[in-house]
Amino acid sequence: MHRRRDALVIFCLAAHTAMALRPPAPLPAIGLGSAEGPAFEAMADAVAVAMRGGMTLVDCAQNYGSEKAVGEGLRRSGVARENAFVLCKVDLCSRAAEDPKARMRRQVARSLENLGCDYVDGVAFHWPLALDKPVGDDEARSLRVDAWRELEMMVEEGLVGCLGVSNFSPALLDELLEVATRKPVFNEVELSPACYQAELLAHCATRGVKVVAYSPLGGCWLAKSPLRRPDPNAASPRPLATAYPRGSRGVAAT
């Protein structure tokens, strides 16, 4: 239906039951993503249909350009707001000279405005790096810590239910865990049969951090890397994709 159909679906590595998190809501085990999704009307309809069909988690971000459509889809669905889990993202990717605390505050406020909500159930620190301007390790660490502190304040204020990260390596995850008052509940990373990050999975498990998989059927950056080209003599990927959930600690896939 879409050029990146699998990008619309995200899954949590957990048993096929909700994960107990901090209030206000548990993080569901399966959800609808919106990266590189369709245009506004089709995205809103997709969210509405998914929500009416029983899916309660929807994952979005400002740099996806999908938040307004997601918010409209939530309203069209007729599902009560308290029965949905809305996850958005913040980042330091184009920080310029902006204070990291002010940037977190501004991004969350903009997401709430785009979604038409007065709170979000989860916020993920999308990327650990300031991509627009190279900085030293110490400065980068200081930026991340300041940003996380502000996100923790927004949890206290009731604007955000829980915090997570995305695309964090084991080392960067440990760095954050050392200073966090509220530790990240999850790490959202690319994970599929073509990109199975066993070391990262094990590391998150030892730290008590759940893993959320995006592009679970492949087709994203790491899976497309020349270093990960499939063996031309290997079996068809379809049986692998369908068997993957049964052998990977509760991963759900369709």
Side-chain angles (χ1 to χ4, degrees), residues 70-151:
V70 167
E72 176 62 24
L74 290 171
R75 290 184 287 275
R76 290 181 187 180
S77 73
V79 173
R81 174 65 186 87
E82 61 268 22
N83 294 327
F85 190 104
V86 181
L87 171 64
C88 69
K89 298 182 177 71
V90 294
D91 63 65
L92 293 169
C93 291
S94 57
R95 67 179 186 87
E98 189 175 11
D99 175 79
K101 293 184 177 182
R103 182 176 177 83
M104 296 299 100
R105 185 70 59 170
R106 178 178 61 77
Q107 287 187 329
V108 171
R110 177 62 62 84
S111 290
L112 292 174
E113 179 183 357
N114 288 341
L115 291 162
C117 298
D118 56 7
Y119 71 95
V120 286
D121 301 277
V123 168
F125 197 150
H126 202 177
W127 290 96
L129 306 175
L131 299 179
D132 67 328
K133 180 181 178 182
V135 296
D137 290 344
D138 289 343
E139 183 180 355
R141 182 179 187 278
S142 178
L143 289 170
R144 288 190 291 269
V145 171
D146 285 349
W148 191 261
R149 293 285 186 237
E150 193 66 18
L151 294 174

Side-chain angles (χ1 to χ4, degrees), residues 39-77:
F40 183 92
E41 284 297 321
M43 186 74 246
D45 284 343
V47 171
V49 169
M51 298 295 288
R52 287 196 293 265
M55 188 174 289
T56 57
L57 166 63
V58 60
D59 177 42
C60 55
Q62 286 177 41
N63 62 12
Y64 297 167
S66 61
E67 288 181 333
K68 291 184 178 181
V70 167
E72 176 62 24
L74 290 171
R75 290 184 287 275
R76 290 181 187 180
S77 73

Side-chain angles (χ1 to χ4, degrees), residues 150-222:
E150 193 66 18
L151 294 174
E152 290 177 328
M153 286 293 297
M154 285 184 268
V155 173
E156 297 296 329
E157 295 166 11
L159 296 174
V160 177
C162 72
L163 301 176
V165 296
S166 182
N167 303 306
F168 270 54
S169 67
L172 288 172
L173 184 61
D174 283 350
E175 172 194 276
L176 183 58
L177 288 170
E178 288 178 0
V179 299
T181 300
R182 289 184 175 272
K183 79 173 188 177
V185 173
F186 61 88
N187 188 7
E188 185 175 340
V189 298
E190 183 179 353
L191 191 70
S192 70
C195 179
Y196 191 71
Q197 302 192 64
E199 180 181 350
L200 180 60
L201 283 172
H203 190 85
C204 288
T206 63
R207 302 301 191 267
V209 176
K210 301 297 183 182
V211 173
V212 174
Y214 65 76
S215 293
L217 301 182
C220 202
W221 299 286
L222 293 177

